[in-house]
Amino acid sequence: MRLLLFLPLFIWSCTGAPSKAPAATEQLSQRPHDDHSYANLEQIHTQHLHLDLEVDFAAQTIYGIARHQMKNRGADTAIFDVKGLLIQKVTLGKKGAEKETDFTIGPMDKDSIIGQALLVNVDAKTTDVNIYYQTTEGSAALDWLDTNLTSSKTKPFLYTQGQAILTRTWIPLQDSPSNRITYSADVQVPSDLLALMSAENPTSLAPDGKYHFEMRKAIPSYLIALAVGDIGFKDLGQHCGVYAEKELLDACVEEFEDLPQMMKVAENLYGNYQWGRYDVLVLPYSFPFGGMENPMLTFANPTLLTGDKSLVSVVAHELAHSWSGNLVTNHSWSDLWLNEGTTVYFEQRIMEALRGKEIADILAQVEFGELQQTLAEMAADSALQDSKLHLDLVNRDPDIAMSDIAYVKGAFFFRTLEQTVGRKQLDLFLKRYFTHFAYQTITADRFIDFLERQLLSKTGADFNYREWIYEPGLPPNCVAIAAPRLDKIKSFANEFNAGKNPFKPKVKIKWVRKNGKRKKIKQQINIRYSDYLIQEWQLFIRALDPKTKIARLTALDHQFQFSQTQNSEILCDWFVLAAQSDYIFKIQEPLEAFLLKVGRRKFVLPIYEALSESPDGLKLAKRIFFRAKSNYHSVTKNSVWKVLYKKA
Ligand code: BES
Ligand code: ZN
């Protein structure tokens, strides 16, 4: 083994300096910079990656060889990204004719965000670089679940989360979305477990636990994904299906039965699906996101299984990424909005086709309310510079970009553009965009160039895209959603906040005919939970006065059973409201049960944040987190930890 640690800082010139945006023409010819990768892609870059992996549950370690087939433009060094990996040796040449070579591992960046550079000595003709390695406890992409955290309770589970820059924590590679690679893998797992990847997948157990995978389309590294567990499969037709732990399979089939229809709608909107099959894998509860668009195999959170399809827009979202994100990929994390904003817009269009405009607009209105709250919080924290769509992320965690700005301001960019040029023109443009940039990466500048040429000059429309993309806040021309059905919800909240009870049963007099005689009867009308959408209840709860007396919150909870519901969207909003008063201590039991079970950051984090606003709440939060943290993926664990222990 030739492991040289901590060479001087000579290589770091490529990461530290802030990058100035070059002019658009210059950008088209050059590969723009990615602040979150050490890779010297201009000189040498991976085109195909083959992985030989052995998944060892007892040691919670993956032993691997990453075999890079590279395009070399005469480099003497190949630079890869690594974080939390042990590198054993590096060889050059094809399998069977390999020769060991020298390598160096650079120091960690100051804030431990991007990890370390792995520098491998190559010569100008080298095309094959093989890195022998193993993962460690610091491999933040990996979530190893003991049997007690799975549905089966008898088999363990492993999954990976690569986006944004975690793939380097389980595979040594050039971890920049600006480079696309095909990949294949040979994976050895325990023979009673199924292995799946973001690739062509098996549908049943291999008796020897050996699986071979192929992803034949070039993808960015953050989309390489692996899951291993006691997983079964059910086909939904139309090249769609679901994978899940066997106990959840039937519920998945019911919840996601509209997938084939969604697929048709999506294809009608923006062109043929390019990836062959589309399957959804429902993971255990610790999964930190609602969904993750790993190609051919979306990873999804089991909290989507509500029994009433009320949260399927998350699947519409991940499906939409098969175009926006996976076909056309943000070149760096500074333009995450080009992945997510486009996708939220696309998601809203799928939901409109599926459920009608009225309901789709209510979903969009919920998101818009979240954006307004995020903007208000940013203003209060003097952080409005981060409300630009295009972000400066030098020396910053790309996680910052994952906010309502990229998602909702991004989507409203497209809604407003739609209003400006008309739906027909926008759809033509987007379809062309997905075709033109398919299997490529996109920067804000390239996007603007295409927007000007293919939409604005053709239609003669004027659109303030620079303000939208490069200025903070929400431009004044942002479209407003008219959702008249929400007036009722607003009036409920107003009445409640004014001390009245809008849900008191109303007595209605009704005339009926009995034995030939007209008779007056009294009818009691109750407002039921099921009379309104989950999203309407969310808007109601969010509009309630946090200073409401505990007795009134108790009565409301008693009537609608908010703290007992199985719907995590409602639970999350209810716990956040409750945490703003002492009511939270009355519902501590369901609160603890929720935080111990669910690891989705979007739910868990706002609850911890709300709790940490008061001394007693913070104490409770820390006590729960102490028990819950081993149930969370590192993504959630680290975010919560910052809220509870690093507050200024
Ligand atoms: N690709 C994202 C998740 C992501 C973004 C992970 C950035 C890491 C960095 C995924 O498509 C997503 O947006 N998930 C959302 C779904 C929602 C917006 C419908 C989620 O998990 O909540
Ligand atoms: Zn997304």
Side-chain angles (χ1 to χ4, degrees):
M1 176 150 60
R2 303 175 216 181
L3 195 121
L4 290 163
L5 272 175
F6 300 122
L7 256 204
L9 280 166
F10 68 92
I11 11 154
W12 276 267
S13 52
C14 59
T15 58
S19 59
K20 245 181 61 217
T25 42
E26 204 182 315
Q27 268 211 348
L28 292 177
S29 57
Q30 263 180 22
R31 196 192 274 266
H33 188 66
D34 175 1
D35 295 316
H36 298 103
S37 171
Y38 292 106
N40 57 339
L41 298 165
E42 287 293 350
Q43 284 94 52
I44 183 165
H45 66 267
T46 305
Q47 291 180 309
H48 180 82
L49 171 66
H50 178 77
L51 296 167
D52 285 316
L53 304 177
E54 188 192 330
V55 178
D56 182 342
F57 276 92
Q60 298 207 329
T61 303
I62 298 178
Y63 300 92
I65 310 169
R67 300 181 179 280
H68 293 265
Q69 291 167 25
M70 310 188 82
K71 166 114 183 140
N72 188 348
R73 298 197 166 87
D76 58 11
T77 309
I79 309 182
F80 302 87
D81 297 295
V82 292
K83 195 178 179 196
L85 292 180
L86 275 179
I87 306 297
Q88 276 120 13
K89 67 172 181 181
V90 183
T91 68
L92 304 181
K94 302 253 178 262
K95 199 172 178 174
E98 296 170 39
K99 273 178 79 178
E100 219 167 313
T101 187
D102 286 342
F103 68 92
T104 307
I105 297 176
M108 185 71 90
D109 60 308
K110 175 166 91 16
D111 298 310
S112 294
I113 296 167
I114 62 176
Q116 295 170 282
L118 165 66
L119 295 102
V120 175
N121 277 6
V122 298
D123 62 51
K125 296 229 167 61
T126 302
T127 54
D128 294 80
V129 178
N130 314 297
I131 308 170
Y132 290 66
Y133 72 101
Q134 69 186 65
T135 60
T136 70
E137 270 185 28
S139 293
L142 303 180
D143 194 2
W144 297 94
L145 300 179
D146 284 339
T147 52
N148 64 314
L149 293 175
T150 64
S151 306
S152 71
K153 308 277 179 225
T154 57
K155 305 275 173 77
F157 204 102
L158 165 71
Y159 67 87
T160 66
Q161 167 59 38
Q163 198 181 11
I165 53 169
L166 297 181
T167 304
R168 67 192 66 178
T169 73
W170 74 285
I171 306 170
L173 45 50
Q174 297 179 304
D175 198 10
S176 170
S178 65
N179 192 44
R180 304 183 79 94
I181 60 175
T182 53
Y183 83 85
S184 51
D186 287 301
V187 184
Q188 172 74 62
V189 302
S191 59
D192 56 346
L193 301 181
L194 186 73
L196 300 171
M197 290 192 84
S198 49
E200 285 165 33
N201 274 308
T203 54
S204 60
L205 277 186
D208 56 1
K210 281 188 176 34
Y211 296 89
H212 179 75
F213 299 93
E214 296 277 349
M215 169 41 79
R216 296 167 208 274
K217 312 266 165 120
I219 58 166
S221 54
Y222 72 88
L223 293 176
I224 303 176
L226 169 70
V228 183
D230 186 19
I231 301 168
F233 171 75
K234 288 242 164 114
D235 198 32
L236 294 172
Q238 303 276 340
H239 310 290
C240 297
V242 283
Y243 288 93
E245 285 191 85
K246 289 166 186 151
E247 296 72 17
L248 297 180
L249 260 184
D250 289 335
C252 294
V253 171
E254 269 183 41
E255 201 77 34
F256 301 139
E257 68 176 352
D258 297 336
L259 246 182
Q261 199 195 338
M262 274 190 194
M263 175 64 89
K264 269 192 218 146
V265 167
E267 289 193 306
N268 278 338
L269 279 169
Y270 300 128
N272 291 345
Y273 179 75
Q274 297 293 322
W275 305 89
R277 287 196 60 84
Y278 180 76
D279 296 313
V280 175
L281 165 63
V282 174
L283 290 166
Y285 280 92
S286 66
F287 185 53
F289 298 110
M292 175 64 215
E293 66 271 26
N294 298 314
M296 305 190 73
L297 186 68
T298 280
F299 283 13
N301 196 291
T303 56
L304 305 189
L305 304 174
T306 56
D308 59 9
K309 300 184 185 171
S310 56
L311 306 181
V312 291
S313 64
V314 175
V315 177
H317 177 97
E318 305 313 331
L319 174 64
H321 270 307
S322 308
W323 288 259
S324 44
N326 296 5
L327 267 191
V328 183
T329 307
N330 53 212
H331 188 90
S332 77
W333 301 113
S334 290
D335 285 316
L336 180 71
W337 75 279
L338 283 168
N339 272 19
E340 298 297 345
T342 328
T343 299
V344 172
Y345 175 77
F346 194 164
E347 164 203 334
Q348 293 175 350
R349 293 290 303 276
I350 296 175
M351 293 314 290
E352 183 181 321
L354 223 66
R355 300 278 145 87
K357 185 161 167 53
E358 189 179 40
I359 290 190
D361 277 352
I362 290 174
L363 307 188
Q365 187 60 39
V366 172
E367 293 171 335
F368 192 72
E370 290 165 0
L371 172 64
Q372 283 175 314
Q373 202 194 326
T374 298
L375 283 167
E377 283 165 7
M378 283 178 157
D381 296 348
S382 312
L384 271 180
Q385 73 282 0
D386 285 337
S387 65
K388 300 169 186 174
L389 287 177
H390 175 86
L391 289 178
D392 178 3
L393 295 177
V394 177
N395 293 329
R396 302 175 80 196
D397 194 322
D399 217 31
I400 293 163
M402 200 201 179
S403 79
D404 293 317
I405 303 303
Y407 283 76
V408 188
K409 183 181 172 184
F412 276 78
F413 171 95
F414 289 100
R415 282 184 89 114
T416 308
L417 189 57
E418 176 191 324
Q419 200 192 41
T420 311
V421 299
R423 182 168 274 196
K424 200 168 153 219
Q425 289 299 328
L426 180 69
D427 283 353
L428 269 173
F429 166 76
L430 283 176
K431 202 166 174 178
R432 237 182 258 140
Y433 169 75
F434 293 131
T435 314
H436 185 87
F437 291 106
Y439 303 107
Q440 294 182 46
T441 59
I442 186 90
T443 61
D445 284 340
R446 252 181 228 173
F447 174 81
I448 288 174
D449 182 62
F450 195 72
L451 177 73
E452 273 177 344
R453 282 190 291 114
Q454 295 292 338
L455 184 63
L456 301 181
S457 67
K458 282 188 180 167
T459 55
D462 201 16
F463 190 67
N464 53 340
Y465 55 78
R466 286 204 185 275
E467 184 181 359
W468 274 91
I469 298 170
Y470 295 115
E471 300 293 331
L474 209 51
N477 65 330
C478 181
V479 290
I481 297 176
R485 225 174 103 159
L486 296 179
D487 292 346
K488 190 84 198 149
I489 296 297
K490 276 184 220 142
S491 78
F492 286 159
N494 289 342
E495 267 184 64
F496 189 86
N497 288 340
K500 293 181 224 150
N501 179 10
F503 306 114
K504 221 169 49 202
K506 295 197 171 52
V507 177
K508 215 172 127 186
I509 307 292
K510 207 175 159 192
W511 288 96
V512 290
R513 207 169 260 288
K514 206 172 172 193
N515 304 331
K517 282 191 191 142
R518 266 164 63 80
K519 229 182 132 207
K520 205 158 85 171
I521 57 161
K522 279 187 186 168
Q523 216 181 19
Q524 186 168 311
I525 310 223
N526 289 307
I527 292 171
R528 283 164 311 172
Y529 184 68
S530 57
D531 291 340
Y532 292 90
L533 297 173
I534 293 302
Q535 288 76 12
E536 289 177 299
W537 285 116
Q538 283 188 272
L539 287 167
F540 170 71
I541 295 169
R542 288 175 188 184
L544 295 184
D545 182 356
K547 293 198 184 68
T548 306
K549 290 227 164 58
I550 292 180
R552 298 188 67 226
L553 288 178
T554 311
L556 192 62
D557 203 358
H558 186 77
Q559 186 166 6
F560 295 112
Q561 302 283 306
F562 291 135
S563 55
Q564 304 302 322
T565 168
Q566 291 305 306
N567 192 298
S568 349
E569 293 279 356
I570 299 287
L571 271 181
C572 171
D573 286 340
W574 187 247
F575 289 141
V576 167
L577 175 75
Q580 295 171 63
S581 70
D582 280 349
Y583 185 57
I584 197 69
F585 300 105
K586 301 253 184 241
I587 51 172
Q588 223 170 291
E589 213 178 290
L591 171 78
E592 290 201 31
F594 183 74
L595 291 175
L596 281 167
K597 178 176 175 185
V598 174
R600 186 173 169 190
R601 183 170 64 176
K602 179 187 144 182
F603 296 143
V604 162
L605 195 60
I607 299 174
Y608 282 110
E609 273 167 350
L611 286 170
S612 68
E613 291 296 322
S614 74
D616 285 345
L618 182 62
K619 245 189 249 160
L620 175 63
K622 285 184 175 172
R623 200 167 54 70
I624 299 176
F625 181 60
F626 184 77
R627 286 171 60 214
K629 64 182 189 305
S630 58
N631 304 358
Y632 298 156
H633 183 278
S634 73
V635 161
T636 299
K637 205 181 331 191
N638 294 337
S639 299
V640 176
W641 193 85
K642 276 188 206 145
V643 166
L644 298 186
Y645 295 98
K646 257 185 136 176
K647 265 198 133 182

